[in-house]
């Protein structure tokens, strides 16, 4: 039956290839979930193989030459007034891709800073992908045998020499386990990856130090970005992290109705990762066929009972649940990591970029999202301010009003079906919020940026599955379902209806207590902002007063000298007075005693005023406004 369905889709495919694909049904995935193929094996572009080389001794020179070239081009284009931000962004992306290694990850981290860098540059850097170049099979085979401690044939009865995928850190081979009889994907780390990444990290650290000394984008928090990159390098070089994340996500996403491949821990090491090979249709192929052969796609959807709208809603709600409930979410849900199964089921792969959020920050983000779902935009605006990394001395009320307008505008656009997808997506909403805050010099925390990245990456899939998706409605429905899950959790083990009502009330009380605690924190932060503004004002005043004090000292000294020398000349021996002091005494005008007294009185008045300012500055309590005093 499967062979006959496959023939309808795969044109001019040999019997051996068909049987090979059918044999994949021996994987852990249920046979009833396996869809018919959408793209025939001959249609796939093979991974190009290049010889493996050790990191070049001149890599440092190569990196600096690339950046020097970028700088020269930038200055030249600006001088001749031919600078095009989009073209320069593509040039920048090309440089990062040529350098490869850890620079790919560094570019992707910079792409998160939409609140600082131009949008064109962030979009290009977000699409950074290492060149899909594989390395020779004999090297991959040697690494696997070295890691597993035995010849390849002892573990696998089938092994395909040609890799089916490649990335900056390694390549993937298709194989079949001898003991389990399951087809698996074997991810093998590229040789010398550790040395290459270590060298790149040293170079990046040098660049970050230079940027800090030059005070380039000081609010970027370069040290935090460097720490982020260091963690990424550690996780990339040890597949044990990805194996652990995959196992945890497999457990969590089972409750979401999302399938995650099984990890075969027995065959996995820091440089080799063996997971179940999914006989599924990936979104990357779905999108390609949707543009090239829509008729074939419609036939495949019908044969496999796949409803694109249902899949889109399922993906969106699952990501929200991962972020807000599980606090463990797939941070790179691009089309190559999303698979479609029969019956509108979905699966996810590649959990190398699995993120979580600090608990307190997650509560703030959850309240922000829930406020949008309940159309409480003022509360959502308050939470935006709480989610910022830094708040300069600004008019909080003005920022709040601006954020409310941004959120109201986004919700109104979600109601217009005719508008393009990107005008209504959650990615657009968070982007507009960041732009509004950046206008007041407010920057965002890395936690917000990781969440934003996860949502924006998923957009490439949702726009193809369901362009008319109402994101605001989806958020509202998610919180209704989340509330029901919490009620069931509170009343677990008891089926009585009164208990469910009590559980619902308990959940409401918990939400109200959390909201109250959160807004207490908001009030404290507003007071801190007001206090900071006062301190900055007093600091400026103190600086001015210090200058005035120095002027008063000079005036007083001049007056005293003038009085002593002009009115009551100092009788000193000529040798002691010297020619300089004698010359000054002759040039000073003679002052009347009354004028000298007035100068001294003015000087005394200045010193008295400075003493009053000193007493104000040394007070323990500072009045920071009527609103603050009323709420204290």
């Amino acid at each position: 039956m499967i062979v006959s369905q496959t023939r309808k889709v795969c044109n001019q495919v040999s019997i051996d290839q068909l049987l090979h694909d059918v044999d994949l049904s021996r994987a852990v995935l249920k046979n009833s979930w396996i869809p018919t193929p959408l793209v025939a094996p001959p249609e796939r572009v093979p991974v190009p193989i290049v010889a493996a080389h050790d990191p070049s001794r001149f890599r440092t020179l190569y990196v600096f030459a690339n950046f020097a070239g970028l700088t020269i081009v930038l200055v030249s284009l600006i001088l001749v007034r031919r600078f095009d931000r989009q073209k320069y962004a593509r040039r920048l992306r090309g440089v990062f891709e040529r350098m490869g290694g850890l620079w790919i990850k560094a570019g992707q981290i910079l792409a998160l800073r939409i609140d600082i860098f131009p949008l064109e540059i962030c979009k290009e850097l977000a699409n950074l992908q290492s060149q899909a170049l594989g390395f020779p099979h004999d090297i991959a085979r040697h690494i696997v045998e070295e890691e597993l401690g035995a010849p390849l044939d002892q573990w696998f009865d089938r092994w395909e020499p040609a890799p089916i995928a490649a990335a900056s850190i390694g390549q993937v081979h298709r194989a079949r386990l001898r003991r389990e009889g399951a087809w698996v994907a074997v991810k093998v780390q590229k040789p010398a990856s550790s040395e290459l990444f270590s060298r790149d990290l040293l170079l990046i650290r040098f660049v970050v130090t230079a940027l800090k000394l030059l005070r380039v984008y000081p609010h970027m928090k370069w040290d935090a970005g460097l720490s982020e990159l260091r963690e990424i390098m550690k996780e990339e070089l040890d597949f044990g992290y990805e194996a652990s994340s995959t196992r945890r996500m497999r457990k969590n996403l089972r409750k979401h109705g999302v399938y995650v491949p099984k990890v075969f821990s027995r065959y996995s090491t820091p440089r080799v990762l063996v997971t179940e090979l999914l006989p599924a249709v990936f979104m990357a192929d779905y999108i390609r066929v949707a543009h090239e052969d829509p008729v074939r796609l419609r036939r495949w959807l019908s044969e496999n009972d796949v409803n694109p709208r249902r899949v889109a809603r399922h993906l969106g709600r699952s990501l929200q649940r991962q972020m807000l409930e599980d606090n463990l979410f797939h941070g790179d849900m691009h089309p190559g990591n999303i698979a479609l199964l029969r019956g509108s089921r979905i699966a996810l792969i590649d959990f190398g970029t699995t993120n979580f959020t600090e608990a307190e920050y997650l509560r703030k983000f959850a309240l922000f999202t829930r406020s949008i779902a309940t159309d409480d935009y003022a509360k959502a605006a308050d939470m935006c301010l709480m989610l910022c990394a830094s708040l300069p001395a600004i008019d909080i009320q003005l920022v709040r009003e601006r954020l409310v307008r941004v959120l109201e505008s986004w919700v109104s656009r979600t109601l217009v079906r005719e508008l393009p997808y990107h005008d209504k997506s959650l990615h657009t909403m968070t982007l507009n919020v960041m732009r509004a805050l950046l206008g007041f010099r407010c920057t965002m925390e890395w936690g917000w940026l990781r969440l934003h990245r996860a949502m924006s990456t998923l957009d490439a899939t949702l726009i193809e599955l369901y362009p008319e998706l109402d994101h605001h409605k989806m958020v509202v429905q998610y919180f209704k379902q989340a509330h029901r899950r919490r009620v069931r959790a509170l009343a677990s083990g008891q089926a009585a209806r009164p208990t469910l009502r009590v559980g619902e009330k308990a959940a409401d009380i918990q939400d109200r207590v959390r909201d109250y605690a959160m807004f207490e924190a908001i009030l404290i932060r507003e007071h801190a902002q007001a206090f900071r503004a006062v301190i900055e004002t007093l600091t400026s005043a103190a600086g001015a007063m210090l200058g005035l004090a120095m002027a008063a000292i000079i005036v007083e000294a001049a007056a005293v000298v003038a009085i002593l020398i002009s009115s009551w000349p100092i009788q000193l021996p000529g040798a002691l007075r010297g020619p300089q002091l004698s010359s000054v005494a002759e040039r000073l005008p003679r002052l009347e005693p009354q004028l000298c007294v007035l100068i001294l009185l003015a000087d005394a008045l200045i010193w008295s005023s400075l003493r009053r300012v000193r007493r104000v500055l040394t007070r323990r309590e500072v009045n920071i406004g009527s609103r603050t005093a009323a709420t204290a």
Side-chain angles (χ1 to χ4, degrees), residues 205-227:
R205 186 181 299 158
F206 176 82
V207 172
V208 167
T209 302
L211 293 173
K212 288 167 58 182
L213 290 175
L214 297 173
R215 295 195 59 77
V216 177
Y217 292 117
H219 48 298
M220 168 71 182
K221 295 188 175 181
W222 294 105
D223 286 334
L226 187 61
S227 298

Side-chain angles (χ1 to χ4, degrees), residues 552-578:
I553 292 173
I554 294 173
V555 169
E556 182 178 8
V560 170
V561 171
I563 291 171
L564 294 177
I565 295 180
S566 302
S567 302
W568 299 281
I570 301 175
Q571 300 299 326
L572 293 174
L576 294 177
R577 290 184 61 179

Side-chain angles (χ1 to χ4, degrees), residues 54-63 195-196 199 203:
D54 292 333
S56 172
R57 298 178 181 178
F58 303 102
R59 182 165 179 79
T60 301
L61 182 61
Y62 175 72
V63 169
E195 182 181 353
L196 177 62
R199 285 192 185 184
L203 290 174

